[in-house]
């Protein structure tokens, strides 16, 4: 059986950059991401610095996955809307975003997902709060509040990138 290491770790949605940095630090220390599931990362041994890991909030459609494969990236897996890829460093640079506009568009996609899930939780929470037989409406309202906080953090990152873009123009 192949040696592996499983680590359970939580990252907030607005900390996706920190998550990517951590995954690349693991690769630098000789452990490359092999599988991913909810808050669970499975690594296998590799040469230090052999791979670069990237993650992106995107639809896992065949066209996108085929495009990534053409660049030399290997699809590792997904957790909700987050797709994880790794690429051998000898194949060259591995950046998913070519400019500030593509980074801003990525943050917009994250915001759209957060808004949809947050609105659904808000509606369900309000409906359950009005229904006297269901006493768990507060759980959905709490989730909606957390998701709206996350949306605010993502919006803040987007505004910083827009300011940076304005300064470069």
């Amino acid at each position: 059986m192949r040696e592996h290491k499983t680590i359970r770790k939580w990252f907030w949605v607005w900390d996706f950059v920190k998550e990517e940095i951590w995954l690349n630090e693991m690769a630098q220390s000789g452990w490359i991401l092999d599988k991913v599931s909810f808050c669970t990362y499975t690594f296998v041994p590799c040469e230090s610095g052999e791979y670069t890991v990237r993650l992106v909030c995107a639809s896992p459609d065949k066209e996108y996955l085929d495009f990534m494969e053409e660049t030399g990236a290997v699809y590792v897996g997904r957790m909700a809307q987050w797709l994880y890829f790794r690429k051998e460093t000898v194949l060259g640079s591995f950046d998913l975003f070519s400019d500030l506009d593509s980074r801003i568009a990525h943050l917009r996609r994250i915001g759209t997902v957060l808004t949809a899930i947050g609105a659904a939780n808000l509606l369900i929470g309000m409906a359950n709060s009005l229904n006297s037989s269901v006493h768990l409406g507060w759980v959905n309202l709490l989730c909606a509040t957390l998701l709206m906080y996350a949306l605010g953090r993502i919006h803040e990152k987007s505004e910083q990138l827009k300011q940076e873009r304005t300064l470069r123009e």
Side-chain angles (χ1 to χ4, degrees):
M1 187 169 164
R2 194 162 90 165
E3 182 183 3
H4 71 278
K5 177 190 293 195
T6 300
I7 298 176
R8 287 172 178 69
K9 192 169 175 86
W10 175 269
F11 288 96
W12 295 105
V13 68
W14 59 84
D15 284 335
F16 63 92
V17 172
K18 287 182 184 176
E19 181 179 5
E20 191 175 88
I21 289 169
W22 175 70
L23 291 168
N24 282 295
E25 287 171 350
M26 291 295 293
Q28 283 294 322
S29 67
W31 292 96
I32 187 59
L33 184 65
D34 189 52
K35 284 194 278 186
V36 63
S37 59
F38 184 70
C39 299
T40 305
Y41 304 85
T42 303
F43 300 89
V44 294
C46 69
E47 294 296 319
S48 177
E50 182 179 0
Y51 291 95
T52 302
V53 179
R54 296 286 181 243
L55 59 135
V56 62
C57 180
S59 175
D61 58 45
K62 182 171 174 17
E63 187 176 304
Y64 184 73
L65 295 177
D66 288 347
F67 166 75
M68 291 301 294
E69 187 177 302
E70 288 173 15
T71 70
V74 174
Y75 174 66
V76 175
R78 71 182 263 208
M79 185 171 19
Q81 286 296 109
W82 290 96
L83 308 180
Y84 294 75
F85 296 94
R86 68 180 184 218
K87 183 176 177 181
E88 290 183 56
T89 54
V90 297
L91 297 177
S93 175
F94 185 28
D95 291 317
L96 296 177
F97 308 107
S98 58
D99 58 11
L100 288 175
D101 288 331
S102 62
R103 291 180 191 281
I104 293 168
H106 181 241
L107 292 172
R108 194 175 308 117
R109 280 193 304 274
I110 296 169
T112 300
V113 171
L114 291 175
T115 299
I117 297 170
N121 271 281
L122 181 62
L123 291 173
I124 292 168
M126 288 174 27
N128 284 342
S129 294
L130 297 174
N131 183 351
S132 61
S133 66
V134 179
H135 300 291
L136 294 176
W138 64 271
V139 173
N140 292 102
L141 293 174
L142 182 63
C143 287
T145 302
L146 181 61
L147 289 164
M148 292 305 114
Y149 175 77
L151 182 61
R153 296 288 302 264
I154 294 298
H155 178 73
E156 180 183 327
K157 289 176 185 282
S158 179
E159 289 302 310
Q160 289 171 347
L161 289 176
K162 288 176 184 175
Q163 280 183 332
E164 185 178 334
R165 182 181 61 196
T166 301
L167 291 173
R168 289 184 182 185
E169 291 176 348

